[in-house]
Amino acid sequence: MINVAILGSTGSVGTSTLDVIARQSEQFRAFALTANKNVERLYEQCLQFLPEIAVMVDEAAADDLQQRLKNNSNTSHIIVFSGSKALDDVAADKRVDYVMAAIVGAAGLSSSLAAARNGKRILLANKESLVMSGDLFMQAVKDNGATLLPIDSEHNAIFQSMPVQLTSTGTTIENQASLQTSGVEKILLTASGGPFLRKSLEQLHHVTPDQACAHPTWDMGRKISVDSATMMNKGLEVIEASWLFNASADDIQVVIHPQSVIHSMVSYSDGSVLAQLGNPDMRTPIAHAMAWPDRMVSGVEQLDILKIAQLNFEQPDFARFVCLRLAYDALRAGGTAPAILNAANEIAVDSFLNGNIAFTRIAEIVEQTLEKVAGETAASMHIVLAADGQARYVAEELCDSYIQVKLFLL
Ligand code: NDP
């Protein structure tokens, strides 16, 4: 029996992971489940999956959960912890074999690192671990013999399309011989283009949080849905891919593919292009990474190739999707620039979701934060976290200044 810790089990990726585990209960066990505040959902998950450990980061929520579990004889054995340190402890627990890193945002960084430092198989959905501290994270994976498998559907597709000599033990640094010597010409990272692919800049200014969260092909959490709408999500994925596959910014080309059937491609020097196709459902990459190098049933309907009338591709418009350009710029700048980009974006997206700033301000705030916070070499986690904190402070001030202008104009 393989023990899986699901960090962020109440979220979109976490729920899909539990769905896969429920179908494969002879092989996998949900050993630990974690959430931030969503007691209702974590309690339901505990009732169904009977983990050994449940973590609620929020203390009051943890007390509430503990009380509910205690009152039920089926669940009274479950140990409840609170606080973010408990996430690191779960990721490091000796009894845990696989860690699904599916916490949203920078809050997921520390526990992903703990999994790497303890040599786990890491099923990595949390992008921020690589975006903020790719160098340190990949080094921790290497130094501790962890196995890193990408869950993001695009990176999972690239992983599946890469030459076998680059993926034989997961995406560890040992396997990262130069892409070119392995015959790889380019990584073609596909993007649906999000819900606003055809909207003008003027129309973008007026979109609401609910419109931004209504993704045409994927069902995801609210933060990543907004990132998809601004295409910051694709920018973060470019940075993520650069670390996972030892690729430069020039090695990675973003291609808009609105149907989201091809999840990404690898182009080779002999003229071949290998792609991974499937219905847009996160259970496919999750099941792939859990079963790897084997395959198993995920619950995803088979792709009916005859029903796909068309596969379209186009260039992204960097003038309308400014966040994508900013992410490429941050990757080229290196050091703490991607961490600054990520932190500013988290603050701006939160402010947008709370109805405080317009959609188009997100890119403006990220760009201005990158200008105001000086980047430096990301030599230690301390430096990365300091850059993250500074960027959050600056981005918050910028959000406040936009809110004040809005109030003044009312
Ligand atoms: P959701 O917002 O749906 O879920 C986030 C999870 O993280 C929840 O369990 C939430 O708990 C928990 N969480 C939130 N804040 C904290 C915190 N401060 N400390 C501890 N736990 C916290 O996110 P998604 O599932 O959509 O995304 C998760 C990650 O995977 C993101 O990094 C995203 O970019 C990435 N990803 C997501 C994909 C998708 O299809 N959704 C695809 C590829 C990557 P609670 O419910 O209590 O708030």
Side-chain angles (χ1 to χ4, degrees):
M1 191 59 99
I2 294 170
N3 280 336
V4 187
I6 302 149
L7 310 181
S9 68
T10 50
S12 161
V13 173
T15 308
S16 296
T17 307
L18 285 172
D19 185 277
V20 173
I21 288 180
R23 289 163 202 278
Q24 301 291 341
S25 56
E26 302 203 334
Q27 206 186 341
F28 298 98
R29 174 172 182 231
F31 177 85
L33 303 178
T34 86
N36 187 27
K37 286 186 178 164
N38 192 341
V39 190
E40 284 304 328
R41 190 165 295 169
L42 195 62
Y43 177 60
E44 280 164 25
Q45 293 180 343
C46 286
L47 282 180
Q48 188 184 349
F49 291 93
L50 301 174
E52 288 290 314
I53 298 172
V55 178
M56 301 251 37
V57 172
D58 184 84
E59 226 167 278
D63 289 345
D64 186 355
L65 180 70
Q66 177 129 48
Q67 211 49 51
R68 293 184 197 209
L69 294 176
K70 246 200 215 156
N71 293 339
N72 183 327
S73 59
N74 288 334
T75 56
S76 54
H77 71 281
I78 299 173
I79 302 169
V80 179
F81 293 109
S82 67
S84 49
K85 159 99 177 36
L87 300 172
D88 299 3
D89 294 343
V90 161
D93 193 305
K94 283 200 168 47
R95 295 165 291 174
V96 168
D97 304 296
Y98 293 4
V99 175
M100 166 54 79
I103 291 174
V104 64
L109 173 60
S110 178
S111 49
S112 307
L113 251 183
R117 289 183 178 139
N118 286 275
K120 305 294 184 192
R121 177 183 286 207
I122 309 164
L123 316 173
L124 188 69
N126 174 274
K127 299 167 200 280
E128 294 73 14
S129 309
L130 286 171
V131 170
M132 292 176 67
S133 56
D135 203 3
L136 299 165
F137 185 76
M138 292 306 284
Q139 198 59 46
V141 167
K142 179 185 174 200
D143 291 347
N144 299 286
T147 305
L148 181 59
L149 295 167
I151 294 297
D152 222 332
S153 63
E154 290 79 1
H155 303 88
N156 185 271
I158 295 163
F159 182 80
Q160 294 194 49
S161 308
M162 275 284 175
V164 70
Q165 67 269 27
L166 296 192
T167 55
S168 59
T169 58
T171 57
T172 57
I173 297 174
E174 279 95 355
N175 282 341
Q176 293 179 349
S178 143
L179 290 181
Q180 278 71 27
T181 55
S182 303
V184 173
E185 281 289 309
K186 240 183 199 353
I187 290 170
L188 301 171
L189 189 70
T190 57
S192 69
F196 307 141
L197 183 57
R198 309 277 169 229
K199 284 211 189 304
S200 68
L201 262 178
E202 172 55 23
Q203 289 171 315
L204 283 180
H205 196 69
H206 302 292
V207 302
T208 64
D210 283 345
Q211 287 170 328
C213 290
H215 197 277
T217 48
W218 290 96
D219 180 15
M220 306 180 288
R222 281 173 81 76
K223 194 267 178 183
I224 187 176
S225 296
V226 176
D227 286 348
S228 295
T230 60
M231 285 194 77
M232 177 59 93
N233 183 49
K234 209 46 55 183
L236 298 178
E237 287 178 7
V238 169
I239 299 171
E240 210 182 342
S242 80
W243 288 111
L244 285 170
F245 305 109
N246 198 20
S248 70
D250 294 333
D251 293 330
I252 306 165
Q253 182 183 347
V254 172
V255 180
I256 305 266
H257 166 48
Q259 291 88 0
S260 301
V261 167
I262 294 179
H263 299 135
S264 275
M265 300 172 261
V266 175
S267 161
Y268 286 85
S269 53
D270 62 5
S272 305
V273 177
L274 299 194
Q276 187 258 356
L277 286 73
N279 283 317
D281 188 320
M282 287 306 290
R283 290 175 299 173
T284 294
I286 291 167
H288 169 266
M290 285 175 70
W292 180 84
D294 298 325
R295 298 271 174 179
M296 67 184 190
V297 169
S298 66
V300 177
E301 207 183 313
Q302 291 296 314
L303 181 67
D304 184 348
I305 207 87
L306 295 176
K307 276 197 189 148
I308 305 168
Q310 278 188 341
L311 294 176
N312 299 91
F313 304 99
E314 57 188 273
Q315 294 258 24
D317 178 352
F318 284 84
R320 265 185 320 128
F321 294 104
V322 178
C323 287
L324 182 58
R325 171 178 63 76
L326 293 173
Y328 264 105
D329 290 349
L331 174 59
R332 291 196 169 95
T336 53
I340 295 166
L341 169 103
N342 177 67
N345 182 58
E346 278 191 25
I347 296 295
V349 169
D350 195 50
S351 188
F352 167 69
L353 281 173
N354 289 326
N356 292 330
I357 59 165
F359 180 77
T360 42
R361 295 282 189 222
I362 296 172
E364 289 175 30
I365 286 166
V366 174
E367 185 155 31
Q368 288 172 34
T369 307
L370 279 162
E371 283 162 8
K372 282 174 190 262
V373 181
E376 54 184 313
T377 310
S380 69
M381 203 45 81
H382 179 74
I383 293 174
V384 171
L385 293 177
D388 173 89
Q390 217 183 332
R392 280 170 200 273
Y393 180 79
V394 170
E396 257 161 22
E397 281 200 324
L398 289 165
C399 287
D400 285 350
S401 67
Y402 285 127
I403 296 166
Q404 275 160 21
V405 170
K406 195 170 115 182
L407 290 175
F408 179 75
L409 292 174
L410 280 176

